[in-house]
Amino acid sequence: MATDDVAQLADSLAKTGVEDGELSYKGQGRKLDDAQSVEEMVKEIQDFEGLQALRLEGNTVGVEAAQAIAKALETKSALMRCYWSDMFTGRLRSEIPPSLNSLGDALMLAGARLTVLDLSDNAFGPDGVKGIENLLKSSTCYTLQELRLNNCGMGIGGGKILAASLIYNHKKSSAVGSPLSLKVFVAGRNRLENDGATALAQAFKLMGSMEEVHMPQNGINHAGVTALAEAMQHNPGLRILNLNDNTFTEKGAMAMAQALKHLRSIQVINFGDCLVRPEGAKAIAVSVSEGLPILKELNLSYGEITEDAALVVAQAVKDKDQLEKLDLNGNCIGEDGCRALKVAMEAMNMSELLGSLSEDEGEPEDDDDEEDEDDDEEEDDDEDDVDEEEVEEEEEEEEEEESTGNKFSTPQSTPRPPEVSSFLSFPSPDKLLKLGPTRALLIEQQVDVSDATKTAEAFLKIASVYKEDNTEVRNAVLDSIDGLLRKAFTSSSFQGYSFVSSLLVLLGLIKSEDKVKPVIVVPGHLQALEHVVRQDYFPKESVAVLEAFMSRNNKTLESCGNAKNNLQSTLQRVRSQS
């Protein structure tokens, strides 16, 4: 072979990444609009003998380009793995279904037998699911083991289409003696909600082969969680169950606890940010202690779990010799409870397995608050049940609002919506996000800004869920705080000094004659305040007051070192500029 030919071949291999039957164009950022733009790629595909895997992720593929690639795949019967995530960036949603149809038709024509199909991060919506419907129903997917559709915006409709396709595939594949045995399913951030999750649960139950199920951030509450729990009982080989950032409440947690009793192969349980609550956590702890011999990770963070429940959970992992991490951060354990939890883990020689407790939200103020929260949730559940049973009787406009997940898109002069009440009574990042894009307006309407103390309390509750490393939560917190305080400080009846005084009392920096119980100060309080003092609505005369108190040594702020230092610097800078 001539030297130039060798160099050309080496360059081609370096660009495409050829390894073990895999042809990769991963992350090359190519803009592939038409047949001409993929001529080289098409030739490489055609010339690749025994092609088993094709990586197209990280490029943007138009309809004509997809059709040309599809033509090259029509003879690739050995193809098993399609890594096609993030390959429609910048494309119209209407372009995606025909592109997927072309590629799917080619795989079916070739007689390929897929084991992996990854279409994550393509944001194709329900119509995109229709674009792969025929492929999923075909014999090409009888052998499918991994289906990854993370962050595709499928919605309820797409989830139902997907579930129906999997059920159809299982029926047809079973008829020929090789039933579909999907092992890995990934569909986070798809707004599947209860109906989508319930439909997919039917497919999981039928297949009974699941080893990994990842469905975080899908707006699923206890009804959908219960359906998934029942389905998981029929999948004894399940190793990983990730339902992070859905809303279990005690009802869903109880159902999932029952399911866990049947899952002795499970290694990772991620129920973080799922609002499992104390009784739900205790039920899960019982299942953990009675089984799950190879459990490696248990995440029950941000679930409104109290000290007693946290200690029960800790005790439950005592004999789990393969455990690598227990995450109970962001709960309501309290300062003394956190110490007791650490002592308990140390006594079991497992202290290094306990995750950080730096974002613990402190003990609930009293039992009445927790009961009110439960009542709010029950009302929420009842409303959900009514919506599901009487959806045919709803007005068309209300149905559209529900389908977008925004029940309060039109503010009305009605009693406090349960979601807002729930958040203000027992704040969490999940609850704030679920208030939707009008959260700032909703909170403004529910807080009496003529009362400086109530306004300060509301500010601290919102700020308590601040997360510097989570852009979505951070922005939601700051937008909500800006809306609330701008309305307060621009009101002629609002007493700004009283607000600052109440704030200092609640932060434990000054004592109150009324014996007000200070909050457990977390970095988010100071980080949000650092933002507030830089805004035009905040009175500059209050900056000096805050600076004076922040410069003092106070034990309540010791856990907020960096946040306190940043706030002090900002206060000094703002005061010097005024």
Side-chain angles (χ1 to χ4, degrees), residues 516-570:
V516 174
K517 182 179 179 181
V519 300
I520 303 298
V521 182
V522 296
H525 289 140
L526 305 189
Q527 290 166 322
L529 187 57
E530 193 265 340
H531 165 83
V532 167
V533 299
R534 291 187 280 112
Q535 306 309 305
D536 57 3
Y537 58 72
F538 191 79
K540 295 297 179 280
E541 61 269 20
S542 296
V543 171
V545 177
L546 285 176
E547 183 184 3
F549 279 93
M550 290 298 162
S551 62
R552 297 180 181 180
N553 292 324
N554 193 299
K555 291 183 178 180
T556 63
L557 303 182
E558 286 179 354
S559 63
C560 307
N562 290 335
K564 178 187 175 183
N565 293 337
N566 290 339
L567 175 57
Q568 284 183 280
S569 298
T570 298

Side-chain angles (χ1 to χ4, degrees), residues 24 26 52 79 103 107 130 143 161 164 173 187 212-213 223 241 253 315 318 328 331 352 409 423 436 474 537 555 578:
S24 176
K26 179 179 179 180
Q52 297 179 21
L79 187 60
L103 293 166
L107 296 175
K130 292 178 182 178
T143 51
I161 295 169
S173 58
E212 296 185 24
V213 174
L241 181 57
Q315 189 67 26
K318 179 175 62 174
L328 292 171
N331 282 297
E352 72 281 1
S409 61
F423 171 73
R474 183 177 71 242
Y537 58 72
K555 291 183 178 180
S578 61

Side-chain angles (χ1 to χ4, degrees), residues 486-516:
R486 189 178 297 279
K487 180 179 179 181
F489 280 107
T490 54
S491 171
S492 58
S493 62
F494 187 72
Q495 297 180 338
Y497 181 81
S498 294
F499 169 82
V500 174
S501 177
S502 296
L503 190 63
L504 293 171
V505 169
L506 291 168
L507 289 173
L509 300 179
I510 57 177
K511 292 184 179 181
S512 168
E513 294 179 359
D514 297 329
K515 296 183 180 180
V516 174

Side-chain angles (χ1 to χ4, degrees), residues 203-214:
F204 298 151
K205 180 178 179 179
L206 185 64
M207 291 184 290
S209 55
M210 303 308 304
E211 295 182 4
E212 296 185 24
V213 174
H214 302 263

